[in-house]
Amino acid sequence: MARLFSILSEVIAAWQAKDVEAVLAHMADDIVWHYAAPGMPPVRGKAGAEKLLRRFQADMHDIQWRIFNHAEAGNLLFLEGVDDYRTTDGKRMAVPYAGVLEFQGDLIIGWRDYVDLGVIAAQKAGEPFTAQVEALLARKAGR
Amino acid sequence: MTPHRRAFVAGALGLATVPTLAKATVPMTKFQVLEAVIAAWKKQDVEGVLAHVTDDIVWRNSGGFAPAIRGKAAMRQALTAMAAKIKANAWRIFDYAENDHRLFMEGVDEFWFHTGEHIAIPYAGSLEFRGELIHEWREYFDGRLSIAMKNGEPLSDEVKEMIGRPVAR
């Protein structure tokens, strides 16, 4: 397994286990985290990242975060994946995205996930998944 | 041997002076193909863009909110319609990575309409290749941001920061 992707795999495992401290252990103190680029401002710093992680985890259940494809160049890891989970009120959310992670050594210092906030809003409103979202979800997860 | 290394060796052997042989032995990297697409689109050369995609291309250019554009004919139609509205574009790539048949990219689609609106959408995406041709193209971004800019709203500070990065070489 490629080096940076193996680190991300540890983050995913920690996230699915709802182990916030283990996720934070992979982040640099001065991380800049665009969790919904380009529509939302980034969270800057580990303290802000922790606050965001705890807020997310309160409303994310049965997390099936998976990665379809990835590639590395130097300190950059590119990926395509889906954040797939259920909200506390039982709605399934499945948001396809592309992400770019910048590493400083083994720590993530920049994290940019590009998503469509309109897709998220529609799913939160209970609308059925569109055909194009279903097609993106149907891909085989990569290794 | 990497394509760049092959290009160097071909040059050293004088193969570049024999165009057909040089062409046969120096394949383009995936990023070079993307650079050629960007150069063509900067000139609004629709056929120049289409020369780098397969007949059965699937182009998901909407971040997930609209259906994919399927096939070269449909892509030609979409690009021709876009070219008619766009006065100038400054599409550029900040970072990229390649693996066996895929190129990942992070960049900005920046352009100006004839009617004056300025659009700048930071995005990440991937291109899947069959040989040197792109057969699947996926871009992820916030479609609502695009609509807001088309309605004349100014670029946010976050967007300005994201698009202010140096271009990849």
Side-chain angles (χ1 to χ4, degrees):
Chain A
M1 189 185 291
R3 191 182 84 83
L4 302 181
F5 186 68
S6 75
I7 297 172
L8 177 65
S9 298
E10 291 174 17
V11 173
I12 292 173
W15 181 251
Q16 285 173 333
K18 295 203 165 191
D19 184 347
V20 170
E21 292 304 325
V23 174
L24 289 169
H26 293 284
M27 293 180 169
D29 289 343
D30 52 351
I31 184 170
V32 178
W33 185 13
H34 289 263
Y35 60 96
M40 300 292 285
V43 165
R44 296 178 192 273
K46 210 170 191 173
E50 178 172 5
K51 208 168 151 183
L52 182 64
L53 282 170
R54 295 200 185 281
R55 182 161 68 84
F56 279 164
Q57 293 221 330
D59 196 39
M60 295 174 84
H61 310 279
D62 188 22
I63 298 165
Q64 304 290 324
W65 179 11
R66 55 197 185 279
I67 305 298
F68 302 118
N69 307 303
H70 58 91
E72 301 183 11
N75 66 333
L76 293 176
L77 170 64
F78 285 75
L79 47 96
E80 275 186 283
V82 58
D83 268 339
D84 192 342
Y85 60 95
R86 287 193 186 279
T87 59
T88 302
D89 61 2
K91 288 193 187 84
R92 183 182 173 208
M93 303 287 294
V95 184
Y97 74 99
V100 185
L101 279 72
E102 283 183 39
F103 286 78
Q104 190 174 63
D106 288 347
L107 297 178
I108 302 164
I109 192 163
W111 188 334
R112 296 181 290 280
D113 282 344
Y114 290 81
V115 297
D116 190 296
L117 292 174
V119 170
I120 295 174
Q123 292 182 0
K124 279 195 173 157
E127 292 179 23
F129 293 177
T130 59
Q132 57 271 18
V133 165
E134 293 281 14
L136 287 166
L137 300 185
R139 291 172 292 169
K140 192 177 167 190
R143 290 280 172 253
Chain B
M1 188 184 293
T2 65
H4 290 305
R5 175 79 180 134
R6 270 196 292 270
F8 174 77
V9 171
L13 294 173
L15 298 181
T17 60
V18 186
T20 51
L21 187 54
K23 192 176 177 185
T25 55
V26 186
M28 292 172 85
T29 66
K30 293 167 191 65
F31 187 64
Q32 285 171 334
V33 173
L34 176 60
E35 284 184 309
V37 169
I38 291 173
W41 185 239
K42 281 218 165 97
K43 294 183 286 183
Q44 304 211 347
D45 174 2
V46 171
E47 293 307 319
V49 173
L50 293 173
H52 298 283
V53 308
T54 60
D55 289 343
D56 59 347
I57 176 137
V58 178
W59 184 24
R60 301 179 193 277
N61 72 339
S62 69
F65 69 87
I69 292 168
R70 294 177 186 275
K72 199 181 243 187
M75 188 170 180
R76 177 179 287 111
Q77 199 172 10
L79 287 176
T80 303
M82 287 165 69
K85 292 179 186 167
I86 292 172
K87 184 179 177 186
N89 83 77
W91 175 16
R92 56 201 186 275
I93 302 298
F94 304 122
D95 299 302
Y96 66 95
E98 299 185 16
N99 61 21
D100 50 354
H101 64 283
R102 191 173 286 117
L103 172 71
F104 288 85
M105 58 192 164
E106 190 181 18
V108 57
D109 259 341
E110 183 170 24
F111 51 93
W112 292 261
F113 285 120
H114 288 292
T115 44
E117 296 88 349
H118 176 201
I119 315 293
I121 307 292
Y123 76 97
S126 79
L127 305 175
E128 286 185 17
F129 284 75
R130 194 182 294 141
E132 290 190 4
L133 297 178
I134 301 161
H135 80 96
E136 181 133 0
W137 186 326
R138 296 184 291 274
E139 295 169 7
Y140 299 82
F141 59 91
D142 190 351
R144 300 198 301 188
L145 207 61
S146 173
I147 292 166
M149 290 177 191
K150 283 174 185 168
N151 287 334
E153 290 185 25
L155 308 189
S156 67
D157 289 343
E158 289 77 35
V159 167
K160 285 180 187 167
E161 184 180 345
M162 293 190 87
I163 70 174
R165 289 173 287 168
V167 170
R169 296 274 172 241

